[in-house]
Amino acid sequence: MSCPRIEIDLRKIRHNTRTIVARLKGRGIRVSAVTKAVCGNPAIARAMLVGGAAGLAEARLSNATRLRAAGITCPITLIRTPMLSQVGDVVSVCETSYNTELSVIAALAAAALRQNTVHGIILMVEMGDRREGIMPRDVGNMAQRVVGMPGVALKGIGANFACLSGIAPTEAKMRALSVLANDVEGRCGPFIETVSGGNSANLPWAFEGRATGRINDLRLGEAMLLGVDPITGEQIRGLYQDAFTLVAEVIETDANSARFADPKLARLRLVPDTSETKRLLLAIGHQDTDAAGLSMAPGNTFIGATSDHLVLDTKDASLRVGSEMKLQMNYSALMRAMAAPDIQTNLRYDRAPPNARDVDGSSKHLASV
Ligand SMILES: *Cc1c(COP(=O)(O)O)cnc(C)c1O
């Protein structure tokens, strides 16, 4: 098997999704599965759909197009405001998009009319993250404009938290979003099917047990893929944290290199030099992943990384040139590794699919995922 590679356990992703979907169902909230961190990988998307996600959500049109090319027909929502230059393809690939700019919505409407279809619009409201969104006081006006525009249909409103600012959504913010949904309906009529509360950072709020108001959707990626709360980094109870494993190959080991004979260099070592440890060089670096977001088995210490190398100290005497080493990734490391051209992905299923070569590209094996 080639190195470096990412081993992906689809059964664990399906389990994580199922667990979250079940817990949110009781709260009246459905899950839109976000595939951007895995570059719209169709097999992972299918595992999340089999796990009960109501639809898919993507930030990039290129990834959404990859999902469609693999035969996925479920609703796909573009969660990054469309580029004006892409509106035609947005309308043909995605049923719905999140929007903040009237000029873009008008262009989507024109494209939809040309394609003889209607494109769904969810208005993204700024509620404190300071990344994207319409100011709450302007949402009513904007909603009315959308409702009056042929070619588009107002589907809902949404908010996003903890991406740019790192500020977690509060109970009060969630209540304010519900009030806003009611206000918009009061003005425009019953168009607000979807009230999307945010991303994985909203799960503590959603699991808390208090009233969820009008919020009936969350857009979740990290929690299902990595089983952690994005703000605290803490494990979410009942979820797997190891659905993804990065495997890299050792290309050099040196137990007592002359490199450290120079005391000045020796001082630069970040860990005490004991005779039990040896230094390892792995063939993976900043160009492949976020090296600071990798973690490894006890007994190994991260020393540093360059564009193409990862330097470790290890107590594992069995590691030699040609050995493979397993690393766990945080969200940032995963996102970059999945996009790296030199890293292959290796999908694992709980049982062998009927025709392994077929699995990535067709939906007939859905049941085996
Ligand atoms: C990335 C993103 C999400 C998903 O975030 P996770 O932390 O992976 O759950 C949801 N909504 C928007 C708008 C995003 O950009």
Side-chain angles (χ1 to χ4, degrees):
M1 246 179 287
S2 78
C3 253
R5 65 179 183 274
I6 303 172
E7 307 221 317
I8 305 169
D9 190 329
L10 294 171
R11 188 183 56 88
K12 290 181 177 172
I13 295 169
R14 185 188 59 192
H15 165 90
N16 285 357
T17 309
R18 250 185 207 151
T19 306
I20 291 179
V21 165
R23 287 176 74 182
L24 291 180
K25 195 170 177 192
R27 314 276 293 131
I29 296 174
R30 63 173 186 252
V31 172
S32 295
V34 178
T35 51
K36 69 187 183 199
V38 293
C39 300
N41 181 296
I44 295 172
R46 283 199 181 98
M48 297 202 283
L49 290 170
V50 173
L56 299 175
E58 243 308 325
R60 292 170 194 250
L61 185 61
S62 54
N63 291 340
T65 305
R66 179 170 301 122
L67 292 164
R68 288 289 185 240
I72 289 179
T73 55
C74 77
I76 302 180
T77 304
L78 195 66
I79 52 175
R80 184 173 70 184
T81 295
M83 289 184 225
L84 203 47
S85 59
Q86 293 185 332
V87 287
D89 289 335
V90 169
V91 166
S92 57
V93 173
C94 304
E95 282 77 4
T96 305
S97 57
Y98 279 76
N99 283 272
T100 60
E101 291 282 346
L102 207 54
S103 58
V104 174
I105 298 172
L108 288 165
L113 289 175
R114 278 196 299 277
Q115 295 178 31
N116 219 357
T117 180
V118 175
H119 183 71
I121 302 291
I122 297 179
L123 295 176
M124 187 64 112
V125 187
E126 161 58 56
M127 299 205 75
D129 191 43
R130 303 270 176 268
R131 190 178 70 179
E132 78 268 59
I134 305 155
M135 294 312 286
R137 63 173 176 275
D138 300 327
V139 172
N141 265 337
M142 191 101 143
Q144 263 177 330
R145 300 284 293 272
V146 175
V147 169
M149 219 183 269
V152 287
L154 183 64
K155 293 288 183 195
I157 62 172
N160 196 55
F161 296 91
C163 272
L164 187 60
S165 67
I167 296 170
T170 60
E171 177 88 25
K173 291 264 158 96
M174 291 292 98
R175 261 201 312 271
L177 188 62
S178 284
V179 169
L180 207 55
N182 290 335
D183 287 352
V184 170
E185 280 194 344
R187 256 174 103 145
C188 308
F191 295 103
I192 307 298
E193 279 167 33
T194 299
V195 183
S196 187
N199 56 38
S200 296
N202 285 68
L203 285 175
W205 163 81
F207 290 158
E208 221 172 36
R210 304 226 204 127
T212 50
R214 293 284 312 262
I215 315 295
N216 62 4
D217 175 89
L218 288 178
R219 309 174 305 273
L220 304 178
E222 183 165 1
M224 271 136 40
L225 299 170
L226 294 176
V228 296
D229 177 317
I231 296 183
T232 62
E234 276 170 30
Q235 304 186 351
I236 301 174
R237 188 171 47 82
L239 303 191
Y240 290 106
Q241 282 75 44
D242 59 351
F244 295 85
T245 305
L246 181 61
V247 183
E249 188 170 322
V250 177
I251 52 172
E252 184 187 309
T253 73
D254 61 280
N256 45 15
S257 168
R259 208 177 296 160
F260 308 115
D262 180 338
K264 258 194 283 173
L265 284 180
R267 273 202 302 277
L268 286 176
R269 296 195 76 184
L270 301 175
V271 292
D273 188 11
T274 76
S275 51
E276 299 161 28
T277 68
K278 65 179 170 187
R279 185 157 286 218
L280 291 184
L281 220 52
L282 301 183
I284 193 164
H286 290 312
Q287 195 161 66
D288 307 285
T289 188
D290 178 0
L294 300 176
S295 51
M296 49 214 82
N300 299 293
T301 309
F302 174 74
I303 301 295
T306 63
S307 54
D308 312 295
H309 299 82
L310 196 73
V311 184
L312 304 178
D313 266 345
T314 187
K315 289 182 177 162
D316 184 345
S318 71
L319 289 169
R320 56 196 79 239
V321 169
S323 296
E324 291 187 344
M325 185 155 186
K326 291 183 172 176
L327 305 153
Q328 294 307 131
M329 296 174 280
N330 71 7
Y331 188 78
S332 160
L334 171 70
M335 174 184 79
R336 281 168 58 181
M338 286 297 295
D342 276 349
I343 302 187
Q344 301 223 329
T345 51
N346 180 27
L347 302 167
R348 295 202 335 241
Y349 298 79
D350 46 358
R351 57 177 179 270
N355 177 353
R357 280 210 329 251
D358 241 20
V359 145
D360 224 345
S362 92
S363 55
K364 65 175 187 271
H365 301 302
L366 206 59
S368 70
V369 178

